[in-house]
Amino acid sequence: RGGLWRGAGAGGSPCVQCGQPITAWDDHVTIPQTGGRLHRRCLVCDGCGRALEARFALHEGKPYHQQCYRELYHPRCVLCSGALPVEGGRVRWSVHSFFEDEKFCGHHGDTARRCFACGRFEPLASSGKPSFADVPDGRALCMACARTCVVDSEEARPLYERVLAFMRDELHLTLHADMRTIPVLAVDLPTLNDRTAREGGNHGHHHHGPGGGEHQSVVRGLCLSEVGRVPHMAPGAARYDRATGRYVIQRPHVYAIEEVRSVTAVLVLFALPATLFTSILAHEAMHAYLRLHPRIGTALDPALEEGLCQLVAHKMLESEAARAASDPADAVEDADGPSNRRLRQYFRHSIETDPSPVYGDGFRRAAEACAALGLDVLIEHV
């Protein structure tokens, strides 16, 4: 807030507004905060141009009526576009846990919808900003996340091929040949929940965060796999008896038990931004890698397995960030919301700060071990 001192005569010092000298006969004022002197007639609001009274607001050294200042510079709610409330002389607001520059009135957080992918709140219709896109299965997407939305299995396939190339060329993993032919299906939320229930919740990508409530786990991907033991005829287990014209089963070792592993499909929730969709694919592809690896057990500790899968998802996001670093369009923010680069940073942040003991703690332990030993040694240890 600004105030002023009145005086007469200033020894010919120039007026900071008009630049003309202030003479001994001129009524003038001094702004204490800046020390600047100006003719009383030059003390006008920089917003509306009308004369100012004894109390006014300052912004970047320029005076404003308090009402003009509020209309021009008072922080505004990104959801309703109204001025943020003032309580006890202080401006009060709430923010997203990551997008902290998006301030909003606290009470909107109780009723506004959230984007399933990034957790940002939907602007009110009165704000004039774009509403969220409705997804048929009941979810909502902000327009920033909808920019690169993956909507079907055909769009998912090249992203999966990119994940396999990343695992092979950047992580230097030796991939099972069957990984190249795994069906990759983009599915809706009811289908994904149904398949998860049938699988017992194993080998999937769960998200703990604003997409489904701060403390709710939401399934976003699933790796369908089978591991079975098949009895079969071992070499020498049967011989042909010419006297009887029949094959005779040898005793006592008739059958050998051979383990058969297969991954039948990878399911990922459709209508997610491409960067997030790709990271979930990386998570599920790591499940497939572990399922098909002949030297890795099929009953790994959940925190170990999910931690490794989240580690690969995180590294995939890092690789995507490096690939897009030279693209100016990746950093462009518009009326729809954050840039693709900013969204990618949020998805990495979500993995890093996940509070769950399986996915969050598992990732942090895997990341620490990988930093100390390298991924190849870590996989060999597993």
Side-chain angles (χ1 to χ4, degrees), residues 15-65:
C15 170
V16 297
Q17 183 74 3
C18 69
Q20 297 299 314
I22 299 175
T23 68
W25 296 276
D26 290 327
D27 187 16
H28 75 282
V29 297
T30 301
I31 301 177
Q33 289 84 348
T34 64
R37 293 187 176 91
L38 65 163
H39 297 108
R40 183 65 185 83
R41 64 179 180 274
C42 293
L43 184 62
V44 296
C45 173
D46 200 67
C48 68
R50 300 196 307 271
L52 287 166
E53 302 302 328
R55 294 190 61 80
F56 51 88
L58 284 175
H59 180 75
E60 297 181 351
K62 296 180 179 179
Y64 295 84
H65 290 110

Side-chain angles (χ1 to χ4, degrees), residues 197-216:
R198 296 187 192 185
E199 294 286 315
N202 297 322
H203 315 142
H205 182 285
H206 295 243
H207 174 62
H208 300 258
E214 288 295 344
H215 306 291
Q216 183 178 351

Side-chain angles (χ1 to χ4, degrees), residues 317-332 340-341 344-345 348:
L317 288 169
E318 290 179 334
S319 176
E320 292 282 283
R323 193 172 65 90
S326 60
D327 181 9
D330 190 63
V332 173
N340 294 336
R341 180 172 301 174
R344 191 180 302 110
Q345 292 169 349
R348 289 170 56 188

